[in-house]
Amino acid sequence: MSFTWRYVVRPNGSFRRVGNLNGSLDNVYDEELARLGQDDDEQPERPCSRCGTLLLLDWHGPLMTGVWMELCPACDADRPADHAFIQWHRDTDRDRKALPQLFEDWETGTMHAQGWVRAPQPDDQPGSPAHLRLVPRGHG
């Protein structure tokens, strides 16, 4: 069984991430994936819980962690992964292929700040991000 993520990016830089189990969505066009979740994705912009600035992105952390992740252009610009993701959001000519790595780097850093680290599964191949799990720091 394999699991990867498909990212669908809208012109305004918002996006959705869809689980792709066993490549079941490999032959589905991005436009079709975008239409499938249109109603669910319209959410009002949220202010940063730290400074009140409007967030570029707010996201539920991985399942079972209970972490709410925020990407704030004011609070997070000093962290390298966050800065790169902020720049991607601000760029009008976004490199859509860069999104999965930018998202994963941001998620990893944000979760690490909340006490979680990525730990490979025993049968993982090195550098295979789709098969990494998050565990509380000091475990795994």
Side-chain angles (χ1 to χ4, degrees), residues 73-114:
C75 296
D76 299 323
D78 292 339
R79 297 190 321 199
D82 296 10
H83 178 76
F85 205 15
I86 290 168
Q87 291 305 111
W88 182 88
H89 271 276
R90 290 181 172 165
D91 189 355
T92 56
D93 188 29
R94 292 175 192 88
D95 178 3
R96 293 171 184 247
K97 291 180 181 179
L99 178 59
Q101 188 63 54
L102 289 167
F103 183 89
E104 184 178 311
D105 292 347
W106 169 70
E107 179 183 56
T108 298
T110 301
M111 294 303 295
H112 186 267
Q114 296 291 322

Side-chain angles (χ1 to χ4, degrees), residues 35-47:
R35 280 194 304 273
L36 292 175
Q38 278 182 332
D39 296 336
D40 298 346
D41 293 337
E42 299 303 321
Q43 298 177 8
E45 292 179 330
R46 296 183 124 175

Side-chain angles (χ1 to χ4, degrees), residues 119-133:
Q121 299 282 352
D123 59 347
D124 274 347
Q125 298 202 6
S128 176
H131 298 211
L132 294 177
R133 63 189 168 97

Side-chain angles (χ1 to χ4, degrees), residues 3-24:
F3 183 84
T4 58
W5 291 107
R6 284 280 307 270
Y7 289 80
V8 181
V9 182
R10 296 177 197 90
N12 69 356
S14 65
F15 63 90
R16 66 189 301 244
R17 188 169 76 158
V18 181
N20 188 14
L21 185 62
N22 291 329
S24 60

